[in-house]
Amino acid sequence: MAAAAPPPPPSEAHIFLPETTPPGDTLFTRIRLATAADVPHIHKLIHQMAVFERLTHLCEATPESLSATLFPPSAPPPFTSFTVLMLELSPAPFAPPAAADPHFTPILKPVHLDLPIDDSDRADFTSNAPDVLVHDVVIGGFVLFFPNYSTFLAKPGFYIEDIFVRECYRRKGLGRLLLTAVAAQAAKMGYGRVEWVVLDWNVNAIRFYEQMGAKILPEWRICRLTGDELQAFGRINLG
Amino acid sequence: MAAAAPPPPPSEAHIFLPETTPPGDTLFTRIRLATAADVPHIHKLIHQMAVFERLTHLCEATPESLSATLFPPSAPPPFTSFTVLMLELSPAPFAPPAAADPHFTPILKPVHLDLPIDDSDRADFTSNAPDVLVHDVVIGGFVLFFPNYSTFLAKPGFYIEDIFVRECYRRKGLGRLLLTAVAAQAAKMGYGRVEWVVLDWNVNAIRFYEQMGAKILPEWRICRLTGDELQAFGRINLG
């Protein structure tokens, strides 16, 4: 009977869960910028994504190579280059951000669950965030994106390379939340577009993206120069 | 009879044109990094591209918006963000680069012509490069690209947004030269891929790209969130 509960004092305004709601029915989510401490989890998530896409034979990423390329010693500010947001999940509310981050304020959202979730991999995905004191906070997914540019708009945008939610947490609106975080950031920065790609036979994904307001461009095809064919260009005499 | 000509002395090794070749048969090309001084030409080239694609109604770029987004006051180093290479054309050889540029050594290539080219727009495209002393050097095209990222490779790559050669200079290998410049730079930096998109009905372009070693990915479709649909995400309460 939430209507009968007394209103929380102002100092506890960040606690989303009224005491009358039974535990287990709400999953507290946080989306925050990734740090180098998240690399082991990012690597595991990329591996799970490769398994899901049956493309493990193409997955060469290691924690070391991800560290070197995503979190180099003199990393540019978030959103100006490769940027990763982590999705964290907790049975208890997250504390509000201690200090205003100049680049990104973590997004806190409670998600209501019909059934409790059995996360058998939770020991592998315990969050490494420094402000998390309990072991109940797990990584549920991530999104990796970076700026792109439209000459017609003369504006940057964002290109989403990967958006991934671990299997046991799917169909709860968490993928939508990650996509929304990127789109909201783009809109806030005055950017012109957010783009990503989808497989043409993945009709469920296409329907979902269209419901989010995206257009599918039917005529464009991706051209890719890679492997030996790309390396051969390094040997061409251009001097 | 080039074989009968005496070899040039070593100090003139940068002069590609033997004196026995009649003038007008060789077009000297240079590919160099763009600067803010190139914005008026970049803007005209983008407009020509929009006319060619019959998409002028979608082209919102102005010299001011291009300047602000491509050449901001504290621009990051070339290749780490949006990067433009200009294609310059001259009837006479370019001087070799005066000093080694730490980021990019201009590419000098002579191109042999079967017929002289009538460039009726040349007055609009006189190069603004500071080291060009004569008015005979014109801008012939450009390529705009920026880093992308593959999580499977854990490596950056380049995405080519635009590659454009003015109409009177087409079918002379200049588009290939611009694409080669980007691919060679990617290979040199140890990057994993160069990608771009092509319209599925543009069979000539597809054949050309395949000849250059690129694969066309038939199953992927681009998803784009833009305009009012994107701006709506800026008004979602995520706090």
Side-chain angles (χ1 to χ4, degrees):
Chain A
M1 306 295 268
S11 66
E12 291 177 14
H14 63 279
I15 297 180
F16 297 104
L17 185 66
E19 284 179 19
T20 49
T21 302
D25 281 1
T26 299
L27 188 64
F28 292 87
T29 76
R30 176 166 75 169
I31 295 176
R32 62 162 172 82
L33 283 168
T35 71
D38 294 305
V39 164
H41 291 143
I42 295 171
H43 179 247
K44 283 178 201 160
L45 292 167
I46 291 169
H47 185 74
Q48 287 196 351
M49 190 165 57
V51 170
F52 177 74
E53 296 178 348
R54 303 187 182 184
L55 294 175
T56 48
H57 58 291
L58 298 181
C59 189
E60 304 172 10
T62 64
E64 294 71 28
S65 61
L66 289 168
S67 253
T69 53
L70 294 178
F71 303 98
S74 58
F79 309 120
T80 66
S81 181
F82 317 133
T83 302
V84 183
L85 295 177
M86 304 304 292
L87 169 69
E88 291 177 313
L89 307 169
S90 169
F94 288 90
D101 185 297
H103 299 110
F104 184 72
T105 303
I107 296 169
L108 306 181
K109 274 278 178 199
V111 173
H112 290 275
L113 299 177
D114 293 330
L115 290 168
I117 292 170
D118 178 21
D119 180 0
S120 55
D121 288 341
R122 60 180 308 119
D124 286 340
F125 284 98
T126 302
S127 175
N128 292 327
D131 68 332
V132 170
L133 300 175
V134 290
H135 292 297
D136 280 350
V137 179
V138 295
I139 299 295
F142 79 113
V143 58
L144 186 149
F145 59 105
F146 47 79
N148 65 3
Y149 189 83
S150 160
T151 34
F152 277 13
L153 301 180
K155 276 185 187 176
F158 283 138
Y159 182 85
I160 301 177
E161 176 69 15
D162 287 316
I163 189 159
F164 186 76
V165 172
R166 288 168 54 213
E167 191 169 2
C168 63
Y169 294 108
R170 290 186 201 148
R171 288 168 293 279
K172 320 237 172 288
L174 300 174
R176 177 187 297 261
L177 198 58
L178 284 169
L179 188 52
T180 297
V182 178
Q185 184 68 27
K188 190 174 145 190
M189 295 172 81
Y191 282 10
R193 295 172 179 166
V194 175
E195 294 182 310
W196 62 96
V197 295
V198 67
L199 286 160
D200 66 343
W201 48 258
N202 196 345
V203 289
N204 288 337
I206 289 172
R207 191 179 315 123
F208 167 66
Y209 294 145
E210 287 179 333
Q211 284 167 354
M212 301 250 335
K215 300 271 189 305
I216 315 296
L217 310 187
E219 291 189 319
W220 292 97
R221 296 293 172 273
I222 299 168
C223 304
R224 178 179 290 172
L225 193 54
T226 189
D228 291 343
E229 286 78 8
L230 176 58
Q231 297 316 312
F233 281 88
R235 297 186 292 270
I236 291 177
N237 177 15
L238 284 171
Chain B
M1 304 296 268
S11 66
E12 293 178 13
H14 63 277
I15 298 179
F16 296 105
L17 184 66
E19 284 181 19
T20 50
T21 302
D25 280 1
T26 300
L27 188 63
F28 293 87
T29 76
R30 176 166 76 170
I31 294 176
R32 61 161 172 83
L33 283 168
T35 71
D38 293 306
V39 164
H41 291 143
I42 295 171
H43 179 247
K44 283 178 201 161
L45 292 167
I46 291 169
H47 185 76
Q48 288 195 353
M49 192 166 58
V51 170
F52 178 73
E53 296 177 347
R54 302 187 183 185
L55 294 175
T56 48
H57 58 291
L58 298 181
C59 190
E60 304 172 9
T62 63
E64 293 70 28
S65 61
L66 290 167
S67 251
T69 52
L70 295 177
F71 303 98
S74 58
F79 309 120
T80 66
S81 181
F82 317 133
T83 302
V84 182
L85 295 176
M86 305 304 292
L87 169 68
E88 292 177 311
L89 308 169
S90 168
F94 287 90
D101 185 298
H103 298 111
F104 184 72
T105 303
I107 296 169
L108 307 180
K109 273 280 179 200
V111 173
H112 290 276
L113 300 177
D114 293 329
L115 290 169
I117 292 170
D118 178 22
D119 180 358
S120 55
D121 288 341
R122 60 181 307 119
D124 285 340
F125 285 98
T126 302
S127 174
N128 291 329
D131 69 333
V132 169
L133 301 175
V134 290
H135 292 296
D136 280 351
V137 179
V138 295
I139 300 295
F142 79 114
V143 58
L144 186 149
F145 59 106
F146 47 80
N148 64 3
Y149 189 82
S150 161
T151 32
F152 278 12
L153 301 180
K155 275 185 187 177
F158 283 138
Y159 181 85
I160 301 176
E161 175 69 14
D162 287 315
I163 189 159
F164 185 76
V165 173
R166 287 168 55 213
E167 191 169 4
C168 63
Y169 294 107
R170 290 189 200 146
R171 286 169 295 280
K172 321 236 173 288
L174 300 175
R176 177 186 297 260
L177 198 58
L178 284 169
L179 187 52
T180 297
V182 177
Q185 184 68 26
K188 189 175 145 190
M189 294 173 82
Y191 282 11
R193 295 173 180 166
V194 175
E195 293 182 311
W196 61 97
V197 294
V198 67
L199 286 160
D200 65 344
W201 47 258
N202 196 346
V203 289
N204 287 337
I206 290 172
R207 190 178 315 124
F208 166 66
Y209 294 144
E210 288 180 333
Q211 284 168 354
M212 301 241 351
K215 300 272 191 301
I216 315 296
L217 310 187
E219 290 188 320
W220 293 98
R221 296 293 172 272
I222 299 168
C223 304
R224 177 178 291 172
L225 194 53
T226 189
D228 291 343
E229 287 79 10
L230 176 59
Q231 296 316 313
F233 282 88
R235 296 187 292 270
I236 290 178
N237 177 15
L238 284 170

